[in-house]
């Protein structure tokens, strides 16, 4: 039989275990609630605004701007790119922290190195296969050559050894009259070149009156640029679109001009030329002053009509957007150069072997005193004399 004392002793362990379980669950639940409250209010919560009025204004502005963007997207769905704001020269100078009144001129040492490398490569390419000689001969004997001149032959070419030095670069805002008076930024830099760039030609002055080839006067002329000093102005001309004047109102065509790089020289430049001349075949006249004056005057006029302000030269700016077709690997470029050198070396060895074979055959023929019919002593095999 179980007495009341034994039943009370059995109920005590059950109550203690139940209270421990409840306390454990309550503690776990409180920890979960605290972690959830921390994540909600401290991590994902909105930053409090110091001014409730300002916060309400921001909400209204964001709501109105989002509504306007959605409405604009519905109206013009294809136009995804945002229209950039119109930038004036003053805005560009302010965003780049450039003050035209207090900024010090730049020395452009890095630019001089790049230009020197470009000119050195140009001189190297000009001597390859006499490319510049062929180009000048075709240019001088083109359709613009006067009828009283015979064939013009280039007798001397010197591309110089020194390089131009750019310095004292500064930015100036200028007004663009062609663009409706809108301003643009212009970079001006001083250029100094002391070198001898020479071009010499030979030709004949032919007198065809009263009959053809009545008189012929040989003439040799050489012109050298000794020094050039001036101020170079460079600026970008933005692209523009305008309707074609020849098109009708119903079918109007839009003419768009790309962005160009315009450069010119200020009128205060210095160009030192040296002209040498030689007239006649037997009794020659050397360095005639009148010829030097005419040639130098024509060269200065040619230069001023093309590159001196208010005239300028415009060069189209290519697209700078990255594309896969313009990607070049440096290792591949080096490998191509090595392949080209190997081909040249192999061709040179073949020529040397052919020359040695020809000398060996000629030595044998001379030693034996044998003369083959139709072949002269000392000639290459296979060359027949008729």
């Amino acid at each position: 039989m179980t007495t009341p004392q034994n039943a009370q002793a059995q109920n005590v362990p059950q109550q203690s275990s139940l209270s421990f379980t409840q306390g454990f669950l309550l503690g776990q639940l409180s920890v979960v609630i605290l972690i959830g409250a921390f994540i909600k209010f401290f991590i994902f919560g909105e930053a409090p605004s110091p001014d409730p009025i300002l916060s309400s204004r921001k909400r209204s502005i964001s709501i109105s701007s989002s509504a306007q963007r959605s409405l604009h997207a519905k109206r013009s769905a294809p136009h995804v790119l945002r229209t950039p704001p119109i930038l004036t020269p003053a805005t560009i100078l302010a965003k780049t922290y450039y003050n035209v009144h207090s900024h010090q001129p730049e020395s452009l040492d890095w630019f001089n190195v790049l230009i020197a490398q470009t000119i050195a490569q140009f001189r190297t390419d000009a001597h390859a296969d006499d490319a510049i000689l062929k180009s000048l001969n075709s240019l001088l004997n083109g359709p613009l050559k006067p009828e009283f001149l015979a064939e013009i032959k280039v007798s001397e070419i010197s591309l110089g050894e020194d390089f131009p030095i750019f310095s004292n670069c500064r930015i100036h805002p200028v007004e663009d009259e062609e663009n409706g008076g809108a301003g643009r930024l212009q970079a001006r830099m001083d250029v100094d070149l002391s070198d001898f760039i020479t071009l010499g030609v030979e030709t004949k002055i032919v007198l065809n009156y009263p009959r053809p080839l009545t008189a012929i006067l040989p003439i040799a002329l050489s012109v050298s640029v000794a020094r050039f000093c001036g101020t170079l102005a460079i600026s970008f001309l933005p692209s523009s679109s305008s309707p074609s004047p020849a098109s009708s109102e119903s079918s109007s065509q839009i003419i768009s001009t790309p962005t160009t790089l315009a450069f010119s020289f200020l009128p205060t430049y210095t160009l030192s030329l040296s002209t040498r001349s030689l007239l006649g075949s037997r009794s020659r006249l050397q360095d005639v002053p009148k010829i030097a004056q005419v040639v130098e005057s024509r060269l200065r006029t040619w230069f001023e009509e093309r590159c001196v302000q208010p005239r300028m030269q415009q060069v189209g700016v290519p697209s700078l957007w990255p594309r896969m077709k313009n990607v070049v690997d440096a290792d591949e470029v080096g490998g191509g150069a090595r392949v080209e050198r190997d081909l040249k070396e192999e061709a040179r060895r073949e020529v040397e072997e052919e020359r040695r074979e020809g000398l060996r055959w000629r030595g044998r023929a001379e030693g034996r005193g044998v003369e083959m019919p139709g072949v002269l002593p000392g000639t290459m095999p296979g060359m027949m004399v008729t």
Side-chain angles (χ1 to χ4, degrees):
M1 292 180 66
T2 59
T3 61
Q5 294 179 355
N6 294 332
Q8 186 177 1
Q10 292 177 358
N11 292 329
V12 171
Q14 293 178 359
Q15 291 178 358
S16 62
S17 62
L18 183 62
S19 62
F20 174 76
T21 304
Q22 292 176 354
F24 179 75
L25 294 177
L26 183 61
Q28 294 294 330
L29 182 61
S30 62
V31 171
V32 172
I33 292 174
L34 288 176
I35 293 175
F38 177 79
I39 293 175
K40 178 180 180 181
F41 294 103
F42 289 94
I43 297 179
F44 295 103
E46 295 181 358
S49 177
D51 191 358
I53 300 176
L54 182 61
S55 62
S56 63
R57 288 181 179 177
K58 287 183 177 179
R59 291 194 188 96
S60 62
I61 290 173
S62 63
I63 292 172
S64 61
S65 61
S66 62
Q68 290 178 0
R69 285 197 298 268
S70 62
L71 181 60
H72 181 71
K74 290 180 181 179
R75 289 181 178 177
S76 58
H79 301 284
V80 180
L81 294 177
R82 295 182 180 179
T83 303
I86 299 176
L87 293 178
T88 60
T91 306
I92 296 176
L93 292 175
K95 288 182 177 293
T96 54
Y97 307 102
Y98 192 98
N99 191 344
V100 295
H101 302 289
S102 61
H103 199 282
Q104 296 296 325
E106 299 181 12
S107 60
L108 294 180
D109 294 336
W110 62 272
F111 188 69
N112 292 329
V113 175
L114 294 180
I115 292 296
Q117 292 179 350
T118 305
I119 295 176
Q121 186 62 39
F122 169 75
R123 290 170 178 171
T124 303
D125 296 340
H127 288 84
D129 300 331
D130 295 334
I132 188 171
L133 182 61
K134 297 177 182 177
S135 301
L136 287 175
N137 282 327
S138 61
L139 178 64
L140 295 175
N141 294 284
L144 298 179
K145 183 176 69 69
E147 296 181 356
F148 60 86
L149 289 180
E151 181 183 2
I152 302 176
K153 298 180 180 180
V154 178
S155 59
E156 181 183 5
I157 298 177
S158 176
L159 299 179
E161 299 178 355
D162 294 330
F163 304 101
I165 302 300
F166 296 85
S167 61
N168 196 21
C169 180
R170 58 272 186 199
I171 302 296
H172 290 273
V174 295
E175 295 183 357
D176 193 0
E177 298 179 356
E178 297 181 357
N179 197 16
R184 55 187 171 91
L185 297 176
Q186 187 180 82
R188 295 181 181 179
M189 59 195 75
D190 297 337
V191 185
D192 191 0
L193 174 62
S194 297
D195 201 353
F196 274 93
I197 303 175
T198 306
L199 174 63
V201 296
E202 294 180 355
T203 185
K204 296 178 182 179
I205 299 178
V206 181
L207 181 61
N208 295 322
Y209 183 82
R211 62 179 184 273
L213 301 178
T214 301
I216 298 176
L217 178 65
I219 180 173
L221 188 65
S222 176
V223 181
S224 301
V225 178
R227 185 181 180 185
F228 177 81
C229 182
T231 302
L232 176 64
I234 301 177
S235 61
F236 284 98
L237 299 180
S239 59
S240 60
S241 300
S242 60
S244 177
S247 60
S248 60
E249 296 180 356
S250 59
S251 60
S252 60
Q253 297 179 356
I254 303 300
I255 300 177
S256 60
T257 57
T259 303
T260 57
L261 176 66
F263 66 91
S264 60
F265 292 91
L266 298 185
T268 57
Y269 71 93
T270 301
L271 179 61
S272 299
L273 300 173
S274 176
T275 305
R276 295 174 299 169
S277 59
L278 193 63
L279 299 178
S281 57
R282 295 182 180 178
S283 58
R284 297 186 175 184
L285 297 177
Q286 187 175 1
D287 297 338
V288 180
K290 188 62 177 179
I291 295 179
Q293 293 178 3
V294 172
V295 171
E296 293 179 6
S297 176
R298 294 296 299 271
L299 289 177
R300 292 178 187 275
T301 303
W302 180 89
F303 179 72
E304 291 178 356
E305 288 179 351
R306 288 163 175 79
C307 302
V308 179
Q309 289 185 358
R311 298 176 178 86
M312 64 181 66
Q313 291 288 319
Q314 295 186 11
V315 180
V317 178
S319 176
L320 300 179
W321 190 258
R323 297 180 180 179
M324 284 302 299
K325 66 179 182 179
N326 299 329
V327 175
V328 179
D329 193 354
D331 297 334
E332 294 180 359
V333 174
R338 287 193 296 271
V339 170
E340 185 177 358
R341 287 196 299 269
D342 294 341
L343 292 176
K344 290 182 178 180
E345 185 66 21
E346 184 178 357
R348 188 183 64 81
R349 287 197 299 266
E350 291 179 356
V351 172
E352 289 291 334
E353 291 178 358
E354 292 178 358
R355 188 177 65 85
R356 293 194 190 98
E357 288 293 335
L359 293 176
R360 190 180 300 111
W361 182 89
R362 187 176 62 181
R364 291 176 182 176
E366 291 178 355
R368 295 177 182 176
V370 178
E371 295 186 2
M372 297 178 63
V375 179
L376 290 177
T379 58
M380 294 293 292
M383 296 180 60
M384 303 300 297
V385 179
T386 58

